[in-house]
Amino acid sequence: MSGIDEIVGEFLIESYENLDRYDADLLALEQDPTDAETLSSVFRTIHTIKGTSGFFGFDQLEKLAHVGENLLGRLREGELPLTEEIASALLDTGDTLRRMLGVIEETGEEGDLDVSELAARLTRLYEGEGSAADAVAADEPAEVADEPVAADAPAADEPAPEDQQAYDAQGNPIGRIGDLLSERGKASPEDIAAALAAQESGDARRLGEILVNKGAADPEDVEAYVEEQARSSGRSVSDSSIRVDVGLLDELMNLVGELVLARNQIVQLVNDEQDSRYAGASQRLNLITTELQEGVMKTRMQPIGNVWNKLPRVVRDLSLAVGKRVDLEMVGQDTELDKTIIEAIKDPLTHLVRNAVDHGIELPEVREAAGKPAVGQMTLRAYHEGGQVNIELSDDGKGIDANAVRDKAIKQGVITAEQAAQMVERELLTLIFSAGVSTAQQVTNVSGRGVGMDVVRTNIERIGGSIDIATEIGQGTTIKVKIPLTLAIVPALIVSTSGDRYAIPQLSLIELVRLEGEQARSGIERVHGSPVYRLRGRLLPIVDLSRELERRGDHDEEREVVNIVVLHADGQQFGLIVDDIHDTEEIVVKPLGSHLKDAALFAGATIMGDGRVALILDVMGIAERARVVSETRERADSTEQFAASDITVTERKTLLLVEVGDDRRAAIDLTEVERLEEFDISAIEWGSGREVVQYRDAILPLMRLADALGVGGGYLEEGSMDVVVHTIDGHSVGLVVGKILDIVEQEIRIDHLDDRPEVLGSVVVQGRVTDVLDTHALVGAGGQDSFGSYAGV
Amino acid sequence: MSTDTNVAVETQFCTFHLTNLMFGIEVERVQEVIRAQPMTGVPLANPVVEGLINLRGQIVTALDLRRRLELPARPEELEPTNIVVRTSVGQLSLLVDRIGDVVDVDQATFEGPPETLEGVARELITGAYKLDGSLLLVLDTEAAVRLPGVV
């Protein structure tokens, strides 16, 4: 905005605002072309821009606004119906005006945008079916303009008629109130004239007030009319609000952040004091600070409608372009969010909406064939819930085929076929947020390139939000986005480990688990070397915070009490072991300096009540570092699976799932498992004609499970192998398996009908038939004698 | 490198000590000097980053100058002093053993880095002033706060 004066700046701001309303009004008009008030509003917007730009000498701007106004004039007079073509042309006019205003904002000059084509189009529409006599060339439209004022007249001389009487210089609704009162005989014209004269000679009171004080009018009438007038003009809001620079609000927010910290310190100090006078004062300080914080946060709040108001236009243009018909309904536009967050979700939301139109909603004929209304229905809904804002976008389109997503993801190498086989539908769906996965049959200029959804998720997670998807084929899709209200001050759980305190944003927190005594020692199990905890039958990957931070050696087995903070990141849950769990506190997020920018484990820092600095953990970063995010995908759904496979019950067992040979699965009763180990293949030696490895200062004979079961499968030349150590009568045997998959708890029926002695029976685990092995028989079949020769192992 | 070329002009230096060496930073760079502060370590950070301190509500990164200059580690009983400096990457605290006086230097006594300095220390020193009985080593602050591997 350099180089242009304030007046032009104000003109730009006002014009932008008016043009936003202009779009919304035009779309509303398309729905209801008879709405005269909306049409007037559209007309007024263009008219004002025309007048003001003429005043500033922006000729091109004025010229375009003028032809637009002419066309609108005929619409207003009812001489032309609002067709789709006209609406499109008028919307384009709005866009072009915006572009031209943008050029003015940047350069201070009008620039040389060519508007002649659009002007000609508007003129053609203006001429419409009208007689040739009405037709006037675009370069001299002033002669037929409805407005009696010449196009180049300065704006000051040419206020819109609607505004003429509405307000005097002080914004007082003088004329109108007077008119209303006298028209309806509630006050005499003489009294009104006298009151107006009093105002002119310096009486600062409002007209109604003067009249009421003089007894010339009934206060109730005046109040009713003021209200009526406020309703009809729609301008009352601007009377009671002012523009404030966002920078100032940001500064205020920072100061309030400092105050919150100082408050926290005072409260802590006072708690140590016994003097009740301090306690009272600090309590008041506490309350006032909280209210001030809320108040300042509110000043930065904006209704989400500010982002949404662009969306009907996006939907309209896009659905026309792809030949679809879509009705967008918006619920909860008033839901408020911090300005920074509003800005951050703008692009992701637009992208989601475009996606829904482009591949959610079907073509009208397809919809009708499926027995659905030709017009697709999309609903955008926002609401507050538990200190967060939920935004839901639902459509009644064709839904997302999880299998198509899977095939595409496999083809793109995002996941392997084996991984896919273990994923349930909900997990498959989340793959659409991976880079490179798009299920669009055709790549259009809108979507289908497979970029975008991953960016959407990244952007939403960057501001501490999450995104979830639910779909039903043929019925539609709902995408749910959860985002925090604000970023500057967040509630956080304070934990400590290795003597340092850390803050964990509450948004990532699910629950706290405390293990004591025997549980503390044995509650954490190991699967495939990774620690897990069984939380209500579900395997929760465990991450030790102090180990991730490399703050201490590995001695978690000695803990008397284990505190687990259950967190979620990227749709997955994991447990974080910490030494102590303290309180929750409102913390002020402060950025880390440039020396720590690449510290992925920390989202920032904050100052605690005692004045010391504490780091804020980046839950996503920790999950990534500990690799729980990718690994757990395969396991996430074990619980649901075994609940579903409802076999006639005889026994409930905990089973270790392993992969054997070429993609076969087997299960071993966990009570038969001594340990799970991983050996390097090069560690295999030969002893007494068998493969053995050195293990815990002894020799461990190995048995290839694939060979024992006769299922075949290649031997790896190098790398590592997973071994299940089974001990019987003091002798250990290492069962070499293809892969250790999971631990599940399951009701099984052991039938012994299987003719293979080493198989106890078969069960369905995670949707796959799995043999439960009889380890005793197995080891016996492998030659108990030869294992026995290692007596003393 | 933003080695200050105007060191030869009449300059005041804030002096400080590390091991048995005396260093100086241009006075106008120094915002304040504060005694040892409670320090919050940052796991997995560059070892030169000693931690974070709370400077009246601002969180400031503290760098250990001994480690930066690859000098022997500071004995535990020696509490470091914070010199808060303004740099192109914002406020930073430099941890030193002991703060000295502010001295006026005679530009005629300026020389290049002494031959006895080696390695990193030599790269981070723009030169030395010969004072009575001691050498004042001029620290290149901008270079010193630019850590290897950190952009």
Side-chain angles (χ1 to χ4, degrees):
Chain A
M1 297 264 290
S2 61
I4 39 168
D5 37 331
E6 220 172 296
I7 309 173
V8 177
E10 273 175 24
F11 159 65
L12 290 173
I13 291 173
E14 194 183 315
S15 299
Y16 282 137
E17 280 177 7
N18 286 340
L19 283 172
D20 283 349
R21 206 179 52 223
Y22 171 87
D23 274 10
D25 284 346
L26 274 175
L27 295 181
L29 269 184
E30 274 200 296
Q31 301 297 320
D32 181 10
T34 60
D35 187 347
E37 198 168 309
T38 310
L39 187 51
S40 295
S41 163
V42 171
F43 184 86
R44 214 161 36 231
T45 300
I46 292 289
H47 179 80
T48 308
I49 289 175
K50 183 191 88 173
T52 320
S53 54
F55 178 69
F56 287 121
F58 298 133
D59 294 336
Q60 290 288 98
L61 200 59
E62 186 196 352
K63 183 177 152 194
L64 181 62
H66 188 89
V67 283
E69 184 188 350
N70 287 343
L71 179 57
L72 281 164
R74 289 202 72 179
L75 290 173
R76 196 169 63 156
E77 298 303 318
E79 294 170 20
L80 279 177
L82 181 72
T83 61
E84 199 171 279
E85 197 187 0
I86 292 181
S88 293
L90 287 172
L91 286 168
D92 286 346
T93 308
D95 290 346
T96 309
L97 289 174
R98 252 189 225 106
R99 267 202 299 280
M100 295 166 87
L101 292 170
V103 173
I104 294 172
E105 184 175 351
E106 267 173 34
T107 63
E109 304 287 330
E110 191 173 24
D112 48 3
L113 264 171
D114 184 17
V115 298
S116 56
E117 198 178 312
L118 182 58
R121 188 169 142 210
L122 289 169
T123 310
R124 209 166 47 243
L125 288 166
Y126 166 77
E127 288 159 8
E129 293 100 8
S131 68
D134 285 346
V136 174
D139 52 357
E140 43 177 356
E143 288 168 28
V144 293
D146 291 323
E147 293 302 314
V149 189
D152 55 357
D157 295 345
E158 188 193 343
E162 288 83 356
D163 292 342
Q164 214 150 27
Q165 304 169 297
Y167 299 92
D168 69 3
Q170 286 85 44
N172 277 332
I174 24 173
R176 274 293 185 79
I177 282 291
D179 290 350
L180 284 169
L181 288 168
S182 73
E183 267 168 31
R184 299 181 197 186
K186 300 289 185 189
S188 73
E190 292 77 31
D191 285 339
I192 292 167
L196 280 172
Q199 267 193 335
E200 267 163 27
S201 55
D203 193 330
R205 293 175 300 169
R206 293 197 159 202
L207 186 76
E209 214 179 328
I210 300 174
L211 290 170
V212 171
N213 287 353
K214 278 176 66 181
D218 186 341
E220 278 179 24
D221 288 336
V222 173
E223 211 167 290
Y225 290 146
V226 168
E227 252 175 52
E228 186 180 324
Q229 186 188 22
R231 268 200 310 278
S232 63
S233 70
R235 286 281 181 90
S236 62
V237 181
S238 61
D239 286 347
S240 60
S241 63
I242 53 165
R243 279 185 217 282
V244 180
D245 184 43
V246 176
L248 182 63
L249 291 182
D250 288 346
E251 211 171 288
L252 270 181
M253 191 68 193
N254 283 340
L255 285 173
V256 167
E258 302 298 329
L259 185 63
V260 168
L261 293 177
R263 186 265 322 259
N264 290 352
Q265 288 175 14
I266 295 278
V267 169
Q268 185 153 342
L269 288 176
V270 167
N271 284 346
D272 303 339
E273 292 282 331
Q274 297 301 319
D275 195 328
S276 64
R277 286 173 305 169
Y278 287 135
S282 103
Q283 201 167 5
R284 271 202 306 284
L285 175 67
N286 193 355
L287 287 174
I288 295 169
T289 309
T290 308
E291 273 180 33
L292 182 63
Q293 180 192 332
E294 282 168 6
V296 171
M297 263 162 69
K298 272 198 199 122
T299 63
R300 292 159 49 97
M301 293 293 207
Q302 289 190 324
I304 198 163
N306 287 8
V307 191
W308 285 4
N309 60 19
K310 303 269 194 300
L311 296 177
R313 174 78 191 277
V314 169
V315 170
R316 176 192 182 275
D317 289 359
L318 181 57
S319 50
L320 276 182
V322 296
K324 292 177 182 176
R325 294 172 63 193
V326 183
D327 186 16
L328 177 66
E329 188 193 357
M330 300 194 286
V331 183
Q333 285 103 316
D334 301 337
T335 310
E336 290 193 319
L337 275 171
D338 192 281
K339 187 175 161 48
T340 46
I341 294 191
I342 292 257
E343 273 156 24
I345 59 166
K346 200 164 157 181
D347 290 345
L349 267 189
T350 310
H351 193 92
L352 290 176
V353 167
R354 292 174 72 93
N355 249 341
V357 175
D358 198 33
H359 12 158
I361 305 284
E362 313 92 325
L363 291 165
E365 51 273 24
V366 178
R367 289 181 63 87
E368 275 171 344
K372 294 199 254 188
V375 179
Q377 181 68 41
M378 270 171 65
T379 308
L380 199 51
R381 190 189 309 273
Y383 56 96
H384 286 279
E385 187 187 66
Q388 298 180 35
V389 173
N390 291 356
I391 303 172
E392 283 175 14
L393 174 68
S394 47
D395 65 61
D396 65 347
K398 60 173 181 276
I400 301 171
D401 183 356
N403 292 330
V405 175
R406 180 195 57 204
D407 295 347
K408 183 73 187 258
I410 293 171
K411 202 171 138 209
Q412 294 289 328
V414 177
I415 51 165
T416 64
E418 291 82 54
Q419 284 172 317
Q422 293 173 18
M423 293 169 82
V424 291
E425 189 180 306
R426 194 185 61 82
E427 294 173 286
L428 288 172
L429 286 174
T430 59
L431 287 173
I432 67 167
F433 296 117
S434 310
V437 181
S438 168
T439 56
Q441 295 298 315
Q442 285 180 314
V443 173
T444 66
N445 66 345
V446 180
S447 42
R449 295 199 189 86
V451 289
M453 285 302 257
D454 59 322
V455 180
V456 166
R457 181 166 77 173
T458 312
N459 285 346
I460 285 169
E461 286 182 347
R462 188 171 293 148
I463 55 167
S466 64
I467 186 165
D468 210 4
I469 192 163
T471 188
E472 201 170 327
I473 292 182
Q475 302 297 310
T477 305
T478 297
I479 293 177
K480 191 169 181 178
V481 176
K482 286 186 175 192
I483 38 183
L485 281 176
T486 179
L487 299 177
I489 301 180
V490 296
L493 178 75
I494 311 300
V495 302
S496 65
T497 206
S498 314
D500 287 319
R501 278 174 304 179
Y502 299 93
I504 302 175
Q506 199 106 25
L507 212 60
S508 314
L509 186 65
I510 296 171
E511 62 178 307
L512 302 174
V513 177
R514 182 181 165 95
L515 306 181
E516 290 176 338
E518 179 53 31
Q519 262 200 311
R521 282 182 288 280
S522 61
I524 308 287
E525 302 165 59
R526 277 173 187 278
V527 176
H528 205 178
S530 313
V532 293
Y533 173 69
R534 254 181 259 177
L535 181 63
R536 290 185 288 277
R538 199 183 167 103
L539 282 179
L540 184 73
I542 292 294
V543 176
D544 187 337
L545 180 59
S546 56
R547 193 176 318 161
E548 289 313 317
L549 298 178
E550 296 177 9
R551 277 306 206 201
R552 183 179 45 191
D554 177 12
H555 48 80
D556 48 355
E557 277 142 44
E558 295 147 33
R559 284 198 176 115
E560 276 303 303
V561 173
V562 177
N563 285 307
I564 303 174
V565 182
V566 183
L567 301 167
H568 68 93
D570 201 11
Q572 301 296 328
Q573 297 188 3
F574 70 100
L576 188 68
I577 297 186
V578 300
D579 288 356
D580 281 301
I581 292 171
H582 306 285
D583 236 341
T584 55
E585 246 179 68
E586 294 268 294
I587 59 163
V588 179
V589 180
K590 290 177 177 283
L592 294 171
S594 60
H595 289 92
L596 302 167
K597 277 280 183 282
D598 45 353
L601 296 186
F602 308 111
T606 189
I607 296 173
M608 304 298 296
D610 60 1
R612 294 190 61 152
V613 178
L615 289 159
I616 302 167
L617 296 179
D618 182 335
V619 173
M620 194 67 196
I622 289 173
E624 270 166 13
R625 181 179 158 87
R627 302 223 172 82
V628 286
V629 181
S630 49
E631 279 188 18
T632 48
R633 289 196 181 206
E634 296 162 42
R635 306 187 192 122
D637 218 58
S638 335
T639 46
E640 285 148 50
Q641 287 295 336
F642 72 67
S645 54
D646 197 17
I647 304 172
T648 345
V649 181
T650 50
E651 212 176 343
R652 190 169 184 88
K653 277 188 179 293
T654 307
L655 300 173
L656 175 74
L657 286 183
V658 297
E659 189 179 87
V660 186
D662 297 325
D663 202 27
R664 286 277 298 268
R665 290 177 139 205
I668 302 168
D669 188 337
L670 201 62
T671 57
E672 307 279 336
V673 175
E674 176 84 14
R675 288 186 74 87
L676 302 178
E677 294 291 350
E678 192 174 0
F679 293 109
D680 200 276
I681 284 177
S682 63
I684 300 178
E685 296 172 67
W686 282 81
S688 303
R690 304 189 59 91
E691 288 183 294
V692 297
V693 288
Q694 295 177 30
Y695 177 58
R696 297 191 161 189
D697 303 318
I699 297 168
L700 179 72
L702 297 178
M703 173 187 240
R704 302 260 181 187
L705 206 53
D707 291 356
L709 295 173
V711 295
Y715 282 37
L716 291 173
E717 294 289 318
E718 54 188 340
S720 61
M721 57 181 180
D722 289 326
V723 174
V724 178
V725 181
H726 167 70
T727 301
I728 176 170
D729 301 336
H731 307 311
S732 294
V733 181
L735 302 172
V736 181
V737 299
K739 196 157 80 177
I740 291 166
L741 297 171
D742 205 345
I743 291 178
V744 293
E745 211 179 350
Q746 178 137 11
E747 321 258 43
I748 58 168
R749 186 186 54 208
I750 301 189
D751 47 29
H752 289 286
L753 290 179
D754 204 301
D755 52 6
R756 293 171 293 172
E758 66 274 18
V759 175
L760 280 174
S762 299
V763 289
V764 177
V765 184
Q766 293 175 348
R768 294 185 53 173
V769 175
T770 307
D771 291 341
V772 181
L773 304 181
D774 182 343
T775 6
H776 292 272
L778 198 62
V779 173
Q784 183 79 58
D785 291 347
S786 50
F787 290 114
S789 65
Y790 291 102
V793 166
Chain B
M1 295 300 225
S2 63
T3 41
D4 295 4
T5 47
N6 60 345
V7 283
V9 187
E10 182 84 4
T11 322
Q12 280 194 320
F13 282 95
C14 174
T15 65
F16 60 89
H17 301 265
L18 287 171
T19 63
N20 54 356
L21 300 170
M22 178 162 74
F23 293 84
I25 297 179
E26 301 90 309
V27 158
E28 52 272 23
R29 272 204 181 274
V30 177
Q31 182 186 313
E32 62 191 295
V33 175
I34 43 176
R35 61 185 165 76
Q37 294 288 307
M39 186 75 65
T40 300
V42 183
L44 310 175
N46 189 307
V48 174
V49 175
E50 179 71 18
L52 303 171
I53 59 168
N54 169 13
L55 182 68
R56 294 185 300 277
Q58 297 301 307
I59 292 176
V60 176
T61 306
L63 305 179
D64 184 357
L65 266 194
R66 276 215 192 201
R67 248 173 271 145
R68 180 67 182 102
L69 293 165
E70 296 178 5
L71 297 170
R74 183 176 298 111
E76 289 221 3
E77 67 276 9
L78 183 60
E79 287 226 314
T81 298
N82 293 276
I83 302 182
V84 182
V85 292
R86 301 183 197 92
T87 74
S88 58
V89 291
Q91 273 180 4
L92 284 167
S93 166
L94 303 178
L95 297 181
V96 303
D97 294 359
R98 185 161 59 81
I99 192 78
D101 296 326
V102 172
V103 296
D104 290 298
V105 292
D106 179 359
Q107 43 187 293
T109 65
F110 184 77
E111 277 182 16
E115 296 300 319
T116 50
L117 277 177
E118 283 173 357
V120 184
R122 193 179 171 85
E123 291 166 25
L124 302 181
I125 302 295
T126 56
Y129 287 97
K130 289 170 285 185
L131 306 183
D132 289 341
S134 62
L135 269 183
L136 172 64
L137 304 171
V138 178
L139 185 74
D140 181 346
T141 317
E142 286 294 333
V145 301
R146 208 179 301 123
L147 304 185
V150 177
V151 186

